[in-house]
Amino acid sequence: MARSPRFDLLFEPVRIGPKTARNRFFQVPHASGMTNANPHVRAAFRATKAEGGWGVVSTGACSVHPSSDDSPFPFASLWDEADVRAHAVMTEAVHAHGALAAVELWHGGAAAVNRTSRLAPLSPSGVPWMATHVGFMSAARPKVMDAGDIRDLIRWHAEAAMRAERAGFDILYVYAGMGYLPYQFLLEDYNRRSDAYGGSVANRVRLVEELIDAVREATHGRCAVALRMSLQELRTRPSEAAPSEAHEVITHLKDAPDLFDIKMDYSTADCAPSRYVAEGSHEPVVKFAKTLTDKPVVGVGRLTSPDTMVSMIRRGVLDLIGGARPSIADPFLPRKIYEGREDEIRECIGCNICISSWHDGVWVRCTQNPTAGEEWRRGWHPERVRKDATGTALVVGGGPAGLEAALTLGRRGYQVSLAEKAREFGGRLLWETRLPGLREWFRVADYRLGQLRKMPNVSLFPESDLTAGDVREFGADHVVIATGARWTANRCGANEIPAPPLDAPRIYTPDDIAAGVTIDGPVAVFDFDNYYMGSAIAEHLAGQGLATTYITTAGAAQAWGFMTNEQPLVHQAFLKAGIGYRTLEVVTDFDGATLTLAQIFTGERREIAAQSLVIVGQRAGGSALYDALRAEGTGFRSLELTGDANAPGAIAHAVWQGHRTAREVGLDAAGITVLRDAPFAPRDFAEPREAAQ
């Protein structure tokens, strides 16, 4: 299919200093959880994006020195020749597909507390980042940088730049954003110095200028130099010389780098969830920078619509379409637009499961793209599935796992039938995406249904509630059961494990609300699942005019939402909706009028009035259909249980399970290979210490 001419603008080459990007699609640096310990995993993950048409493919933040140690969170480094070799695996793979490779040189300063290296954290004025989340907390406080430390920092960037060039990178970033060290020099909150690096904006911007110069000089102008900076906070700071301090900073730096990459200051705003923030939310900040410099500007904002991309370029908002989350959800997004296949784009849903991966310290995960992180380890490609199968397959259950299983089985060559007892396909998505802010999550079903309906070897059967006898009579070679999970009314016990339900009136689960039960207020929502469901139900009930109180075992509403950048926005939504919340409490009793609570650590008894109680806690998997088929002896070539029916979890877990099941159906153990990556050892690149001495 031919590309629409209205998208031609997206495929124009863009000059970035001494380099030229083949088009305007720029995969900006983003965390992937893939460090130098996983060089082949990382290379395959990034190379897939280059294959998919991204003109520039960036790796994530790379520490320039052991004084910037982010452990236990996964981080990459450019400290020695072993690191050079590890990164070269990625740049070679990216270059093989015609893309430029970029690296983000990073020093965390006061935000990196060096748990492993144990070096004193560095800071312009000794001001620490007093993190409130336990994962980031530390008793270590930074030292005030002296003139020697500043010279060292500049030298470390120059040395890292030389290593980066040897590793094959084309674009080298100076990173002055997100609270990291160069940013700390820009902001008076951190920078209280009285020397040439503090005080006026001109002084505070000096270090960033010197880092840009040092990186360029270290590579003798052969590599492009990009500046990534956060402007959200600086735009709010008044200035006597300009409309804001951000105006002053950009004016000082407007000719310094070869490229500006504009970010927000805070992760919640920079990688905001779709539940609360729409596509293109960065536009005001990105456009502001574009008005002050003639250098190319790249910006993000969960951009998935080609028409939006073209509009932003034509309106002078930016020059390059930045992508982090959309490039994970669909590494082939640019190629699909180029080939006129926009309807096949696997659009990012903005759930931020990818961001939670970094907080969890693991390789990136994606709800839409189950192959993310599995390109090398399992050999999974996001667009190609080996057509190696014949015969028939029946998938029972049309939710996220069933849809993914049917799609992948169809791509393998099976004649696939997908049966769903409801009138519509989508499973849990049908109701969950009707909760406040979650509509974009239905893209999970929309994408898969769109592809399935094009496939001549796939048949869809809605309103088909199959019994074990029906399945046997159908006679498929392979049967996959993906019938989902159910919410239980179990409470949370003293040991933070589920306890038996209460025997009381008007106790409900999310399944009851999905079925349309009438809830009387005031209503309490007891959440020990601690992901999105409890808070979304609270917002849903408050939206119906019910007095709503949210109760959780954790220390904050939707505690796991910290991992997905939702937690601050959930609290803001509660305030706006008038939802009260209580933390660190468990429900111990309910009589239909009074709810009895206990403080989770002390057991102190508390009571509140409530007519109804909604419990959002444990989900139970399992399938009576699967059990019946197994009990009778299968008679099939294979029978599989997958998705939430196998092990309940987030939608991303269900999709991944469905994909894995479909990839492995019909294969014996010898046909399933899972590779194990390993780092390059520094001893392979340097003499032993004693010999060197």
Side-chain angles (χ1 to χ4, degrees):
M1 215 175 146
R3 177 177 79 245
S4 170
R6 72 180 188 276
F7 301 139
D8 288 350
L9 181 65
L10 299 174
F11 297 93
E12 294 177 348
V14 178
R15 188 78 177 170
I16 305 173
K19 304 292 182 178
T20 300
R22 63 184 173 184
N23 58 36
R24 295 182 185 270
F25 289 95
F26 195 116
Q27 183 254 286
V28 297
H30 70 77
S32 68
M34 301 164 191
T35 69
N36 297 8
N38 323 113
H40 300 93
V41 169
R42 179 172 61 192
F45 174 69
R46 301 293 183 183
T48 301
K49 302 185 187 193
E51 181 190 356
W54 294 85
V56 178
V57 175
S58 308
T59 193
C62 286
S63 170
V64 298
H65 186 263
S67 60
S68 183
D69 154 25
D70 215 22
S71 55
F73 302 104
F75 71 101
S77 56
L78 267 168
W79 297 348
D80 53 35
E81 291 305 308
D83 289 349
V84 170
R85 182 68 193 106
H87 288 291
V89 179
M90 174 258 184
T91 60
E92 290 163 8
V94 166
H95 289 154
H97 293 289
L100 299 177
V103 61
E104 186 175 60
L105 305 180
W106 168 75
H107 198 293
V113 294
N114 303 332
R115 292 177 174 90
T116 298
S117 72
R118 301 198 70 178
L119 298 176
L122 299 177
S123 170
S125 304
V127 177
W129 177 41
M130 302 300 290
T132 56
H133 191 273
V134 66
F136 292 101
M137 288 180 182
S138 172
R141 298 291 176 258
K143 65 166 289 192
V144 178
M145 294 174 69
D146 60 25
D149 292 321
I150 292 175
R151 288 193 298 272
D152 284 342
L153 179 66
I154 295 169
R155 176 173 54 83
W156 296 335
H157 274 75
E159 292 170 349
M162 290 186 283
R163 294 188 193 105
E165 185 183 24
R166 289 201 299 276
F169 287 106
D170 306 287
I171 302 173
L172 315 180
Y173 268 84
V174 170
Y175 191 10
M178 297 291 288
Y180 298 129
L181 188 51
Y183 172 90
Q184 292 164 19
F185 273 83
L186 291 175
L187 212 63
E188 282 186 311
D189 306 58
Y190 290 100
N191 187 346
R192 301 169 187 175
R193 302 176 71 93
S194 58
D195 62 4
Y197 293 93
S200 68
V201 170
N203 280 358
R204 282 184 272 134
V205 82
R206 188 184 309 278
L207 176 67
V208 175
E209 289 181 289
E210 292 179 350
L211 291 174
I212 293 170
D213 290 343
V215 168
R216 178 173 284 113
E217 290 169 8
T219 58
H220 302 283
R222 291 184 295 265
C223 294
V225 180
L227 173 62
R228 194 175 213 194
M229 65 188 314
S230 298
L231 293 178
Q232 182 182 6
E233 192 67 47
L234 286 167
R235 287 188 75 212
T236 68
R237 306 295 172 99
S239 166
E240 295 180 359
S244 73
E245 288 195 349
H247 285 79
E248 276 198 83
V249 168
I250 295 293
T251 300
H252 276 291
L253 297 172
K254 66 186 180 72
D255 297 319
D258 298 310
L259 169 80
F260 282 89
D261 182 340
I262 303 303
K263 287 175 66 70
M264 309 296 272
D265 289 54
Y266 311 107
S267 187
T268 303
D270 194 58
C271 308
S274 62
R275 184 174 166 188
Y276 296 106
V277 179
E279 176 185 8
S281 62
H282 291 209
E283 179 171 323
V285 175
V286 177
K287 186 175 183 179
F288 153 79
K290 179 64 183 162
T291 63
L292 297 175
T293 180
D294 295 326
K295 296 298 178 75
V297 172
V298 60
V300 296
R302 202 169 45 82
L303 305 172
T304 60
S305 164
D307 289 304
T308 298
M309 298 172 190
V310 169
S311 170
M312 293 179 82
I313 294 168
R314 292 199 184 282
R315 290 184 291 108
V317 176
L318 42 64
D319 301 287
L320 293 137
I321 302 299
R325 289 173 291 175
S327 75
I328 302 169
D330 197 336
F332 276 64
L333 184 151
R335 178 172 286 191
K336 289 176 180 178
I337 300 171
Y338 185 84
E339 295 175 353
R341 298 186 291 127
E342 311 89 77
D343 62 323
E344 296 182 24
I345 293 173
R346 195 168 43 245
E347 292 183 285
C348 172
I349 69 171
C351 66
N352 285 359
I353 278 289
C354 54
I355 293 163
S356 78
S357 308
W358 180 79
H359 286 126
D360 274 340
V362 298
W363 301 344
V364 73
R365 300 164 292 208
C366 179
T367 299
Q368 276 284 57
N369 177 13
T371 70
E374 303 288 7
E375 300 87 352
W376 185 83
R377 178 170 68 171
R378 295 180 182 272
W380 291 357
H381 191 278
E383 298 298 313
R384 295 192 300 271
V385 179
R386 187 171 60 190
K387 205 172 183 66
D388 62 351
T390 58
T392 58
L394 170 64
V395 179
V396 182
L403 289 168
E404 179 62 30
L407 178 59
T408 305
L409 288 167
R411 287 174 169 171
R412 286 187 60 193
Y414 286 106
Q415 292 292 322
V416 180
S417 299
L418 174 60
E420 164 57 45
K421 69 178 181 180
R423 181 175 298 178
E424 298 178 74
F425 291 91
R428 60 189 283 189
L429 293 166
L430 290 171
W431 178 69
E432 289 186 17
T433 58
R434 295 190 181 111
L435 292 171
L438 297 181
R439 186 59 200 167
E440 286 191 38
W441 291 23
F442 202 75
R443 290 175 174 180
V444 172
D446 278 340
Y447 166 74
R448 287 159 180 81
L449 286 168
Q451 304 313 302
L452 287 167
R453 286 169 176 149
K454 296 177 183 179
M455 300 173 74
N457 60 324
V458 175
S459 300
L460 305 179
F461 297 98
E463 298 184 279
S464 298
D465 190 3
L466 303 184
T467 65
D470 295 331
V471 173
R472 292 189 180 284
E473 185 178 346
F474 196 88
D477 299 319
H478 303 278
V479 175
V480 176
I481 307 298
T483 46
R486 62 182 177 82
W487 289 93
T488 74
N490 290 340
R491 295 172 293 134
C492 182
N495 294 322
E496 298 184 79
I497 58 174
L502 292 168
D503 182 13
R506 294 188 298 282
I507 295 180
Y508 307 104
T509 71
D511 291 336
D512 295 317
I513 298 176
V517 69
T518 300
I519 303 289
D520 297 323
V523 57
V525 177
F526 177 41
D527 180 14
F528 62 97
D529 173 66
N530 286 318
Y531 190 22
Y532 63 90
M533 183 58 72
S535 62
I537 283 179
E539 290 184 55
H540 168 71
L541 295 173
Q544 295 181 342
L546 298 175
T548 304
T549 301
Y550 171 95
I551 303 160
T552 178
T553 54
Q558 193 179 319
W560 202 77
F562 170 83
M563 311 294 271
T564 56
N565 286 350
E566 291 173 90
Q567 190 185 81
L569 299 171
V570 165
H571 282 256
Q572 293 167 23
F574 277 15
L575 177 63
K576 184 176 180 180
I579 299 169
Y581 61 90
R582 304 175 65 100
T583 62
L584 299 174
E585 292 182 326
V586 294
V587 170
T588 59
D589 202 2
F590 180 57
D591 62 9
T594 301
L595 186 67
T596 304
L597 309 171
Q599 209 279 339
I600 196 167
F601 298 127
T602 67
E604 179 188 357
R605 178 186 168 106
R606 297 151 183 187
E607 293 182 347
I608 64 171
Q611 291 292 313
S612 303
L613 172 64
V614 180
I615 295 179
V616 185
Q618 182 188 15
R619 294 171 71 216
S623 166
L625 175 60
Y626 176 78
D627 292 342
L629 291 169
R630 285 192 67 194
E632 296 170 11
T634 67
F636 313 111
R637 288 177 57 191
S638 69
L639 171 66
E640 304 290 344
L641 184 68
T642 196
D644 287 335
N646 180 53
I651 300 168
H653 301 135
V655 172
W656 189 90
Q657 286 192 61
H659 189 85
R660 178 187 174 188
T661 297
R663 288 266 188 174
E664 298 180 356
V665 158
L667 302 179
D668 58 28
I672 301 169
T673 302
V674 181
L675 301 177
R676 181 181 178 187
D677 210 350
F680 295 101
R683 64 177 176 271
D684 297 334
F685 298 88
E687 295 180 4
R689 181 178 299 175
E690 291 181 5
Q693 292 173 344

